[in-house]
Amino acid sequence: MHVTEQDRRACSVHLSGDGRAVEIIDQTCLPGREVYLTLTELEDLCDAIKRLAVRGAPAIGIFAGYAMYVMSLSESGESPEAFRAGLEEKGRVLSAARPTAVNLSWAVRRMLSVLRAHEDAPVPELRERLLAEAVAIHDEDIQMCTRISEYGLSLVRPGDGILTHCNAGPLATSKYGTAIGPVLLGKERGIDLKVFSDETRPLLQGARLTSYELQKAGVDVTLICDNMASMVMKNGWVQACFVGCDRVAANGDFANKIGTSGVAILAKYYGIPFYTLGPASTIDMSCPTGADIHIEQRDPEEIKTMWYKEPMALPEVKCFNPAFDVTDHSLLTAIVTDRGIVYPPFDVNLKKLFA
Ligand code: MRU
């Protein structure tokens, strides 16, 4: 698939028109307002990741690629060594902005490896190479999402009900998205699927983003509260669950938005196939199991006050607010990647995927 500049600019993350900044749609303002941010400085780039103005594992990876390039423009070009050291430090800070999604550190490492591979090149050439790498990360994601969508579509039949959690659509990735990809690709081909979108407490990615994207695309989407998933499954309305992933361990355990593992347990109970969809870059073969995935803890105010006119809990009440949970591989029917569909045993078959 040939990717054009128009394809890139249609994504939630892209390079600004003058090529000197990362431009994103601020996902915290959706669905009410479409606000675009133009970012160049390390502090602002990290802030956008931390407060989820840019979010979704693949989108964060694309963002990191462009961020490293944009920061290279203001990095002193006195010597290639100083240039590389400066960018390595900025890359370290950027990678730490959110620990769970592997795509962030993966993209930073990939950008830095360009510098290491061309140690003797002058700084202007290094900048050009960084730009080419960032664009390659973006283009590959567009191609990967398209392939994942094709594989995912092969798993369902016209009219099926799909339950999804959080947001793994175009906003979180590029082009069609991952978990939402089969639905949007199906729509293009006249294959209609019905989607149940969990609202996804506490940050409401399902309500604010997934139901927004799908409604705009003309898909039959029904928004439900997280605690309604069991009922819609029991009613026979769900034929498959499609969710995204932030990091897949070598044994098939995977981290995704908090609440995903609960959906997987329900799906197992009702005998509904449960799939995670993500690019091969989300699979971390250096991470043996889900127990080795670092889970980000977030501000208690996201639970207590953020969406309310008045606080919904006493200020002194303790909160536990992990951003992600780990779904055990035993609950997973298959992992849908851009390289194909991986079935159990995952420890064996993920190795084969990378062989
Ligand atoms: O905290 P978020 O909104 O970044 O969490 C996002 C998810 O958990 C997504 O499902 C995951 O990143 C995959 S996006 C294709």
Side-chain angles (χ1 to χ4, degrees):
M1 177 197 172
H2 175 67
V3 178
T4 64
E5 184 55 23
Q6 206 181 351
D7 293 324
R8 290 182 206 113
R9 288 198 64 81
C11 295
S12 65
V13 178
H14 50 255
L15 206 55
S16 63
D18 66 1
R20 302 195 65 82
V22 192
E23 195 169 86
I24 59 168
I25 184 159
D26 184 342
Q27 297 193 38
T28 65
C29 299
L30 292 171
R33 288 173 299 135
E34 286 185 9
V35 175
Y36 289 85
L37 304 176
T38 305
L39 307 165
T40 52
E41 303 303 315
L42 176 63
E43 204 184 336
D44 299 333
L45 292 158
C46 288
D47 183 59
I49 297 176
K50 283 181 190 157
R51 64 182 190 84
L52 313 195
V54 57
R55 52 149 296 286
I60 296 174
I62 298 165
F63 180 84
Y66 285 133
M68 292 298 288
Y69 165 65
V70 162
M71 289 192 291
S72 81
L73 299 177
S74 56
E75 190 60 51
S76 154
E78 270 171 33
S79 75
E81 294 74 32
F83 178 78
R84 198 175 64 225
L87 276 180
E88 275 175 356
E89 176 54 18
K90 287 181 175 154
R92 194 189 56 72
V93 175
L94 195 71
S95 293
R98 278 193 97 185
T100 306
V102 69
N103 308 57
L104 173 58
S105 50
W106 167 85
V108 169
R109 274 201 311 276
R110 185 164 156 177
M111 294 297 286
L112 291 174
S113 70
V114 169
L115 303 182
R116 288 190 207 108
H118 301 92
E119 277 185 349
D120 300 326
V123 168
E125 182 188 324
L126 289 174
R127 289 195 179 111
E128 269 174 38
R129 289 188 181 276
L130 286 172
L131 174 60
E133 197 68 14
V135 171
I137 290 174
H138 194 171
D139 289 3
E140 285 165 24
D141 196 75
I142 293 175
Q143 290 159 342
M144 287 188 297
C145 284
T146 307
R147 285 197 292 271
I148 289 168
S149 306
E150 288 279 3
Y151 284 122
L153 192 56
S154 73
L155 297 168
V156 288
R157 284 176 306 188
D160 275 358
I162 310 294
L163 187 135
T164 191
H165 189 73
C166 195
N167 172 260
L171 284 165
T173 60
S174 54
K175 194 80 180 166
Y176 302 107
T178 54
I180 293 303
V183 177
L184 294 178
L185 184 66
K187 181 81 194 163
E188 264 182 23
R189 295 187 180 164
I191 302 167
D192 283 327
L193 300 164
K194 299 185 185 78
V195 177
F196 291 91
S197 169
D198 282 355
E199 67 172 350
T200 316
R201 287 282 299 159
L203 290 179
L204 307 184
Q205 288 91 334
R208 294 189 300 106
L209 308 174
T210 302
S211 64
Y212 162 88
E213 283 181 330
L214 293 178
Q215 189 71 36
K216 289 223 162 197
V219 171
D220 179 341
V221 58
T222 305
L223 176 63
I224 59 169
C225 296
D226 298 338
N227 53 7
M228 296 168 192
S230 174
M231 186 171 181
V232 299
M233 287 184 187
K234 188 174 184 179
N235 287 353
W237 297 343
V238 178
Q239 280 64 53
C241 297
F242 283 175
V243 298
C245 41
D246 285 83
R247 190 182 294 244
V248 181
N251 72 342
D253 294 350
F254 72 99
N256 192 50
K257 179 50 53 189
I258 186 72
T260 302
S261 66
V263 177
I265 291 166
L266 289 175
K268 183 95 173 176
Y269 179 81
Y270 290 110
I272 296 167
F274 184 92
Y275 302 99
T276 186
L277 299 86
S281 55
T282 310
I283 302 168
D284 183 358
M285 293 303 279
S286 71
C287 175
T289 73
D292 304 292
I293 301 177
H294 178 43
I295 301 288
E296 172 193 350
Q297 294 290 328
R298 295 188 61 88
D299 187 346
E301 295 313 313
E302 290 178 351
I303 301 179
K304 291 203 249 184
T305 58
M306 189 164 168
W307 303 110
Y308 304 111
K309 280 196 183 134
E310 290 175 26
M312 281 298 132
L314 291 172
E316 63 271 29
V317 167
K318 274 194 294 179
C319 277
F320 175 55
N321 187 15
F324 303 96
D325 63 18
V326 171
T327 298
D328 195 87
H329 61 275
S330 61
L331 300 168
L332 192 51
T333 307
I335 305 170
V336 182
T337 78
D338 51 298
R339 300 187 189 184
I341 304 175
V342 183
Y343 289 95
F346 295 115
D347 52 350
V348 176
N349 291 337
L350 282 174
K351 263 194 207 129
K352 281 188 193 157
L353 193 75
F354 289 103

